[in-house]
Amino acid sequence: MFVIRLVYYYVIHLIKSTRLHGIHSPFVFDLYNRVIIHTGSFSIFPAIEKIRQSLYKNNKQVLITDFGAGSRTQNTRTKTISHIARTTANPPRRAQLLFRLVNFQQPVTILEIGTSLGLTTSYLAAAKKKAQVFTLEGCSPLAQQAELVFKKLQLKNVEVITGNFDETLPIVLAGLNTVDFVLFDGNHRYEPTLRYFEWCLTKSTENSVFVFDDIYWSKEMQQAWKQICKHPEVMISIDLFYLGFIFFRKNQPKQHFTIRV
């Protein structure tokens, strides 16, 4: 049922979406060319993907602590690293798009809510090694696995914070003056997604970008995404189906884009 519903919404997305000729915002036009459809590779990509392949072969079992909406593929508390890598990690194409977005935005402070095995985190951290990356993970064994990934890639700008997001996110935000880039990928429910958005909004600037993963994952995520797009401080929203981008750029009309990738 989940797959059928996702296919249905993807077809609707394709009908509503546009490509280059339908984009009239200079900022979004530039973003489209330099981030969304860019196909170039960077030197760090093969190293991260080599680690991904090793995780695919890792049959070590870990006990999962999940404070979010759970899994669509395996609702058991014990899972293998291989299963997690194959079913929950952002695929290379999507993670590399986020790398390009960091490259494009040049954030100083990056916040990720939902570390998992650290593959997407690695792309974020590698895109700007002078940025501070704070990544939050609710499950201690996954956080430990992610730390091993960062060590192998020699990424020294990542700090992993383990615990319930309801408790750790306010603490992290309290220690930051501003947050330039946020990836929301840790709780796919309506109320927590909106709450975390509002919390992060207090530290956002006109140049911040918020990224929401799996905006069509469930009805709750769709509702949360629609509500966030309507927020008065949100000036540009971009629906890429699997990812949603939020920008707070002032002095321009509020616009929503549904873009086919």
Side-chain angles (χ1 to χ4, degrees):
M1 182 63 72
F2 168 69
V3 174
I4 294 174
R5 183 176 60 80
L6 202 62
V7 169
Y8 168 77
Y9 284 117
Y10 185 65
V11 171
I12 298 299
H13 172 84
L14 291 178
I15 294 171
K16 293 169 58 179
S17 64
T18 185
R19 284 196 185 270
L20 190 62
H21 65 275
I23 299 174
H24 304 294
S25 163
F27 170 76
V28 177
F29 184 89
D30 194 27
L31 183 80
Y32 180 81
N33 283 294
R34 293 173 56 189
V35 175
I36 296 172
I37 64 167
H38 192 282
T39 56
S41 183
F42 293 79
S43 59
I44 192 65
F45 288 6
I48 298 176
E49 291 310 310
K50 184 178 180 180
I51 289 178
R52 185 192 300 272
Q53 293 303 315
S54 70
L55 293 174
Y56 283 168
K57 300 174 184 177
N58 189 336
N59 291 316
K60 176 184 176 182
Q61 292 192 334
V62 294
L63 185 63
I64 300 298
T65 303
D66 194 336
F67 297 105
S71 170
R72 289 286 189 182
T73 58
Q74 192 183 60
N75 240 344
T76 59
R77 291 198 65 196
T78 302
K79 300 179 183 179
T80 64
I81 296 296
S82 173
H83 176 84
I84 296 167
R86 292 179 183 277
T87 61
T88 67
N90 274 314
R93 183 182 178 191
R94 206 182 309 170
Q96 289 165 13
L97 188 155
L98 292 174
F99 175 99
R100 294 192 298 271
L101 182 59
V102 171
N103 231 352
F104 180 81
Q105 287 289 122
Q106 288 294 297
V108 174
T109 304
I110 298 172
L111 174 61
E112 180 188 37
I113 304 173
T115 314
S116 189
L117 297 172
L119 292 170
T120 300
T121 321
S122 298
Y123 275 107
L124 299 178
K128 189 179 181 186
K129 292 186 177 180
K130 291 185 178 180
Q132 286 184 296
V133 181
F134 301 91
T135 182
L136 279 57
E137 176 53 51
C139 177
S140 181
L142 289 185
Q144 291 171 11
Q145 287 293 322
E147 292 271 21
L148 294 176
V149 171
F150 306 145
K151 186 175 181 180
K152 288 178 181 178
L153 293 169
Q154 298 183 352
L155 295 171
K156 300 179 181 179
N157 58 332
V158 183
E159 180 177 343
V160 183
I161 298 95
T162 307
N164 190 324
F165 303 147
D166 291 350
E167 300 169 359
T168 58
L169 181 55
I171 294 172
V172 172
L173 289 172
L176 301 176
N177 292 322
T178 61
V179 62
D180 306 309
F181 186 108
V182 185
L183 174 58
F184 297 82
D185 189 21
N187 193 319
H188 293 78
R189 293 180 296 166
Y190 176 79
E191 192 278 330
T193 299
L194 287 181
R195 179 155 39 91
Y196 300 160
F197 165 72
E198 292 286 353
W199 287 352
C200 292
L201 192 62
T202 63
K203 295 301 177 84
S204 68
T205 70
E206 182 180 351
N207 296 315
S208 297
V209 55
F210 287 5
V211 179
F212 293 84
D213 192 69
D214 289 329
I215 57 177
Y216 287 90
W217 190 86
S218 65
K219 288 186 178 180
E220 286 197 54
M221 277 304 296
Q222 290 177 55
Q223 292 170 353
W225 171 249
K226 289 179 181 178
Q227 192 70 22
I228 288 165
C229 290
K230 293 177 182 177
H231 194 283
E233 290 192 40
V234 172
M235 302 311 297
I236 294 176
S237 57
I238 299 176
D239 177 350
L240 300 177
F241 190 72
Y242 290 108
L243 295 170
F245 297 166
I246 292 294
F247 297 91
F248 305 95
R249 298 167 59 85
K250 307 298 182 184
N251 302 318
Q252 65 174 64
K254 189 180 184 75
Q255 293 176 290
H256 176 76
F257 298 87
T258 303
I259 298 177
R260 189 182 314 169
V261 180

